[in-house]
Amino acid sequence: MTSSRGIDPGREPWSLARRFANRLAGVLDGALRDVVVIGSASLGDWQASSDIDLVCTVERELDAQARDAVSPLHGNSRDEYGHTIDAMYVTSEGLAKGPEGIPSVVASIAGTLHAESTDGPLNWVTWLNIVQSGVSVPLTEDGVMTAVDPENSGIPIRGEILREGAVGFSRTNLDEYWRNRVNLSEQIYLQNRTDQPVPAFEIEWMSLGPARLLATVLTGRIVSKSEGGELAAGRFPEFGPHLERVLEARRGADTTRTWDHGDLERSLELARTCVRLGTD
């Protein structure tokens, strides 16, 4: 299995991931065993505004001293690299057990390091993403970036279990997070109408976030936001023109567009459709 994106080590995000991994290797003093890129970069959907998500396999769980060493690397990553770089730190034993066998992990979420994270990347989607499309970052200057080999990923969990876990997580996320998040968006932007445009982030998040999870429920694959939007446009043609505009804006083809309440209403209608189908 190969990554859906070509790996040119001289270009972002791969060059940034490599620089960051080398910094980590230095501050962790031999405890870092492997670094894998997941998320939008590994799925071929990395944009100029995207973050970089890593899974770091370590020899031992990070103690307070190690956490103090890596925390500023994440906290300063946007200023230093132009993108927030987040990571989950897990031992080989923990990686082999899967997310349900680990009570918590050290993880950076939105640039903030958490000593005992029980959410964020600690879920079956992360584990399936590693096997399906993860990209291994070399820890030496002469090393080569390669797509993760599922047979040598450090995850001895059968593919069907990974897929079932990712589908189950996606269903739960649609039900417990997105159902409420859609209602909150409606309350904030539609119940108290103003003439102010709706933030582009809100339109993209409402349009593509639930669509991506529905795609996992229906296909058993981890897909990017863009692929989730494309699949939703094919399944729900009534939302096709709206999704085309959202995807154009995400890819930078339409940088001047403003979004109004009508756009948000379509986004929320699509989100509710995805929640309903994904949780039935």
Side-chain angles (χ1 to χ4, degrees), residues 126-181:
T126 296
W127 264 250
L128 181 56
N129 194 166
I130 294 170
V131 172
Q132 173 190 301
S133 55
V135 174
S136 183
V137 183
L139 302 181
T140 59
E141 290 295 333
D142 57 350
V144 178
M145 301 190 77
T146 59
V148 169
D149 177 359
E151 299 300 321
N152 296 291
S153 64
I155 302 177
I157 303 171
R158 296 198 310 274
E160 60 266 28
I161 294 178
L162 292 173
R163 289 188 291 273
E164 289 172 4
V167 168
F169 172 82
S170 298
R171 286 188 184 277
T172 299
N173 195 253
L174 284 167
D175 189 36
E176 295 183 357
Y177 173 79
W178 281 104
R179 194 183 301 277
N180 294 327
R181 183 63 175 80

Side-chain angles (χ1 to χ4, degrees), residues 76-264:
N76 298 331
S77 58
R78 178 163 290 278
D79 289 337
E80 185 169 352
Y81 301 95
H83 302 268
T84 299
I85 302 180
D86 284 325
M88 176 180 77
Y89 295 87
V90 60
T91 63
S92 299
E93 294 77 11
L95 190 67
K97 289 178 181 178
E100 294 180 359
I102 313 173
S104 65
V105 291
V106 175
S108 167
I109 302 172
T112 300
L113 193 73
H114 301 265
E116 297 182 333
S117 176
T118 57
D119 50 16
L122 186 58
N123 60 68
W124 285 106
V125 166
T126 296
W127 264 250
L128 181 56
N129 194 166
I130 294 170
V131 172
Q132 173 190 301
S133 55
V135 174
S136 183
V137 183
L139 302 181
T140 59
E141 290 295 333
D142 57 350
V144 178
M145 301 190 77
T146 59
V148 169
D149 177 359
E151 299 300 321
N152 296 291
S153 64
I155 302 177
I157 303 171
R158 296 198 310 274
E160 60 266 28
I161 294 178
L162 292 173
R163 289 188 291 273
E164 289 172 4
V167 168
F169 172 82
S170 298
R171 286 188 184 277
T172 299
N173 195 253
L174 284 167
D175 189 36
E176 295 183 357
Y177 173 79
W178 281 104
R179 194 183 301 277
N180 294 327
R181 183 63 175 80
V182 169
N183 292 336
L184 179 62
S185 182
E186 182 178 52
Q187 292 171 12
I188 292 174
Y189 295 104
L190 297 183
Q191 291 185 4
N192 298 312
R193 285 181 177 270
T194 69
D195 293 332
Q196 295 297 317
V198 178
F201 170 82
E202 191 71 11
I203 298 293
E204 180 180 311
W205 190 230
M206 291 294 106
S207 298
L208 304 181
R212 174 176 56 177
L213 291 172
L214 178 62
T216 296
V217 170
L218 296 177
T219 69
R221 295 188 301 112
I222 308 305
V223 306
S224 67
K225 289 180 182 177
S226 292
E227 185 178 357
E230 291 164 356
L231 291 172
R235 187 175 182 88
F236 313 118
E238 65 272 26
F239 294 107
H242 172 72
L243 284 165
E244 182 177 353
R245 292 191 294 271
V246 172
L247 291 171
E248 285 179 351
R250 173 172 172 75
R251 293 164 179 158
D254 184 357
T255 59
T256 61
R257 182 178 178 85
T258 58
W259 304 92
D260 59 25
H261 292 93
D263 295 314
L264 182 60

